[in-house]
Amino acid sequence: MNAKAGRYAPSPSGDLHFGNLRTAVLAWLFARLSGRRFYLRVEDIDSQRSSRTSAERQIEDLQALGIDFDGEVIYQSERLGRYEEVLGELEERGLIYECYCTRRDIQVAASAAHARPGIYPGTCRDLNPAERERKRAETAAAGRVPSLRLRTDTASFTVHDYFAGEYASDVDDFIIRRGGNIGQAGDFAYNFVVVIDDGDCGIDQITRGDDLLDSSGRQAYLADLLGFQVPSYVHVPLVLGPEGKRLAKRDGAVTLREMSAQPGGRGGVVKRLCASLGYPETATLQELLEVFDPTEMPREPVVFDDAFDQEPR
């Protein structure tokens, strides 16, 4: 695939809302303006929440807005063999270890005075063989298989973000494969599979919500570890609901299909998306592509009510 590309990668657990659609538009704009190819990847690695029907509806909605993609749609669920292959390579390099901690164990460890918030404290990293066998037996007796973590050698990794500049975020021994019940392997972790997907597709620009900025260091570190090009990032402001929290479906008619049923129809939704980016007079994404200037993009979160008033703040 082309060595320069961007992507949009939704999770198919329901219809995309206004905030998701705005991020998709921005990912498309940043890719197209820089001459990159633009891929769509369906992140259906979560076996409990993903739905092929949701994925199909999301694809239809994105195309209905005027977003076009290059190549075939990529489904993570069809790439499990590739993830197993990379996991095996990391195991051969001695970079994977079993973690027997429960969520409660991690919460207790995180509450310690010296702990870094949100950082795995390395409880299972350096167990001796006898301790490991005992923990493995206890985990099996509880009907569980352990999770797998990456053995890292740094506490932070610096990435380049279009808006934030050089940004160093925490790196810990993050999960590669989740634990599960005996006889049932756990799902691969998001921070693992997205790096492989991006690396295999030549993704060198990642545009997504700024709530994910802090996770960029882990992913970039793994990309570098696997020999992939470390991508540049564009972390964009979120859309907030009327109460000032991240927009959610509980905030009312927020999906494309719901909004399209209101006065103005689908064209009105596109205009609202354009208005939320500072271009209230623009009616189509193709027109937006011709005039959009990333340096002039509003940097503050957009409140959903404001987006509908076409006066983002």
Side-chain angles (χ1 to χ4, degrees), residues 37-51:
R37 293 174 67 81
F38 188 60
Y39 299 120
L40 175 65
R41 181 173 71 235
V42 176
E43 297 196 335
D44 58 347
I45 197 67
D46 188 335
S47 59
Q48 301 300 313
R49 300 179 58 200
S50 298
S51 162

Side-chain angles (χ1 to χ4, degrees), residues 193-238:
V193 298
V194 297
V195 172
I196 302 169
D197 295 335
D198 289 337
D200 285 350
C201 290
I203 303 297
D204 70 330
Q205 181 192 73
I206 296 174
T207 303
R208 58 188 188 176
D210 59 14
D211 58 324
L212 297 175
L213 178 60
D214 283 339
S215 70
S216 58
R218 292 181 176 92
Q219 294 166 21
Y221 171 83
L222 179 57
D224 186 62
L225 191 68
L226 293 174
F228 294 129
Q229 177 183 354
V230 175
S232 62
Y233 291 85
V234 185
H235 286 92
V236 299
L238 298 178

Side-chain angles (χ1 to χ4, degrees), residues 234-249:
V234 185
H235 286 92
V236 299
L238 298 178
V239 175
L240 306 181
E243 296 181 357
K245 298 178 181 180
R246 180 173 178 168
L247 185 67
K249 293 168 187 175

Side-chain angles (χ1 to χ4, degrees), residues 17-75:
H17 60 57
F18 187 86
N20 304 138
L21 298 172
R22 185 175 187 267
T23 300
V25 169
L26 282 167
W28 177 79
L29 286 169
F30 272 91
R32 294 307 188 206
L33 283 172
S34 58
R36 287 175 167 83
R37 293 174 67 81
F38 188 60
Y39 299 120
L40 175 65
R41 181 173 71 235
V42 176
E43 297 196 335
D44 58 347
I45 197 67
D46 188 335
S47 59
Q48 301 300 313
R49 300 179 58 200
S50 298
S51 162
R52 183 57 68 104
T53 298
S54 288
E56 293 170 352
R57 287 170 63 92
Q58 289 179 352
I59 294 168
E60 290 173 0
D61 287 353
L62 293 169
Q63 292 174 330
L65 290 177
I67 296 176
D68 63 321
F69 303 96
D70 297 297
E72 299 289 330
V73 176
I74 300 164
Y75 287 85

